[in-house]
């Protein structure tokens, strides 16, 4: 299922959501401008490497651009490919505006970064010897998805469902879309490469759970959990 938009109006302009999308996009354009080897060097320098964070390993001096602890943040704004970037930004655009609406601009910044930190820890701590760099906004965005699920489970999401050579557009409740996404992460984790390559499914799960746990702290007091759908389209 590929989400295209939700049917859930907001009351404020999602300035922070837009800013994160712009920053991630500009950073990726910068990465691409560096060329092949420099692109890879940037990923090693600014990606979060578990062995550097917790295993006592160090990067060569020419790659150690920032302290290892700072890569927890820098890694959130790097991406490995156009599809990686577009997929993450699509999810952030669809679901981030409503979560930002529920907690305000400043709180949303802190919430997003904390979810990203939790995602890195969830992926890194089970395998602190891994030298595979983690990059991407998906851990932080997973936190946004977890928050959205608690806030607006009944909101309708327009999704594109590929069926063989055909596609179908359907409206589904957010609880179905995001619940399916989370179950898919759990299944994928069970079959993931234990050496840490590929997609960081553990980060997705960690970010999602962190988003659900942090939401009651960051949302406005008047904002209800499990809100009914506010606007339905046929």
């Amino acid at each position: 299922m590929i989400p295209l938009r939700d049917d859930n109006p907001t009351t404020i302009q999602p300035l922070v959501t837009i800013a994160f999308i712009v920053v991630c996009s500009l950073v990726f354009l910068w990465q691409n401008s560096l060329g092949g080897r420099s692109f890879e060097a940037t990923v090693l320098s600014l990606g979060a490497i578990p062995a550097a964070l917790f295993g006592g390993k160090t990067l060569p001096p020419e790659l150690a651009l920032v302290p290892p602890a700072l890569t927890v943040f820098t890694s959130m704004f790097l991406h490995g490919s156009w599809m990686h970037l577009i997929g993450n930004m699509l999810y952030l655009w669809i679901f981030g505006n409503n979560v930002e609406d529920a907690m305000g601009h400043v709180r949303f910044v802190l919430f997003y970064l904390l979810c990203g930190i939790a995602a890195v820890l969830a992926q890194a701590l089970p395998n602190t010897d891994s030298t595979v760099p983690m990059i991407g906004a998906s851990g932080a965005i997973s936190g946004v998805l977890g928050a959205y699920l608690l806030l607006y489970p009944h909101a309708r999401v327009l999704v594109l469902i590929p069926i063989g050579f055909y596609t179908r557009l359907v409206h589904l409740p957010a609880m179905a879309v995001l619940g399916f996404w989370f179950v898919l992460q759990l299944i994928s984790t069970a079959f993931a490469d234990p050496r840490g390559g590929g997609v960081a499914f553990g980060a997705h799960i960690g970010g999602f759970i962190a988003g659900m746990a942090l939401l009651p702290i960051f949302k406005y007091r008047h904002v209800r959990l499990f809100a009914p759908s506010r606007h339905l389209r046929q």
Side-chain angles (χ1 to χ4, degrees):
M1 290 190 293
I2 304 172
L4 301 177
R5 67 169 186 267
D6 67 346
D7 212 359
N8 198 7
T10 60
T11 59
I12 64 172
Q13 289 294 323
L15 300 179
V16 175
T17 297
I18 293 171
F20 280 138
I21 291 172
V22 170
V23 171
C24 286
S25 300
L26 290 176
V27 169
F28 186 70
L29 290 174
W30 168 71
Q31 287 179 257
N32 265 348
S33 72
L34 299 175
R37 289 190 176 180
S38 295
F39 185 104
E40 295 175 3
T42 301
V43 170
L44 289 171
S45 298
L46 301 178
I49 302 176
L53 287 169
F54 303 109
K57 301 290 179 65
T58 57
L59 290 170
E62 65 272 16
L63 294 178
L65 300 181
V66 298
L70 193 56
T71 63
V72 174
F73 297 100
T74 57
S75 64
M76 298 182 203
F77 298 95
L78 300 175
H79 288 84
S81 68
W82 281 108
M83 290 305 297
H84 188 200
L85 173 71
I86 292 170
N88 278 347
M89 296 305 100
L90 176 63
Y91 272 83
L92 180 56
W93 174 248
I94 294 171
F95 301 106
N97 60 341
N98 291 107
V99 177
E100 183 177 350
D101 193 38
M103 57 183 64
H105 306 308
V106 176
R107 291 184 184 184
F108 183 65
V109 172
L110 184 56
F111 170 84
Y112 183 93
L113 295 176
L114 287 176
C115 289
I117 293 171
V120 170
L121 295 178
Q123 182 70 21
L125 289 177
N127 188 8
T128 56
D129 293 328
S130 174
T131 57
V132 178
M134 289 180 283
I135 60 172
S138 53
I141 295 169
S142 297
V144 172
L145 302 186
Y148 191 102
L149 180 61
L150 291 184
L151 286 168
Y152 311 110
H154 306 292
R156 292 175 63 183
V157 180
L158 178 66
V159 298
L160 177 68
I161 302 178
I163 306 173
F165 292 104
Y166 300 94
T167 58
R168 183 178 179 186
L169 291 172
V170 296
H171 281 94
L172 295 175
M175 71 175 75
V177 176
L178 299 179
F180 174 82
W181 179 90
F182 185 69
V183 170
L184 185 61
Q185 306 313 301
L186 292 174
I187 295 172
S188 299
T189 299
F191 293 97
D193 186 345
R195 293 170 294 184
V199 179
F201 294 110
H204 296 177
I205 295 171
F208 191 89
I209 294 173
M212 297 179 77
L214 291 171
L215 173 66
I217 300 171
F218 283 89
K219 73 176 184 65
Y220 291 129
R221 290 185 179 181
H222 69 270
V223 173
R224 296 172 50 192
L225 297 180
F226 312 112
S229 181
R230 291 183 288 178
H231 186 197
L232 298 178
R233 291 182 185 147
Q234 299 300 324

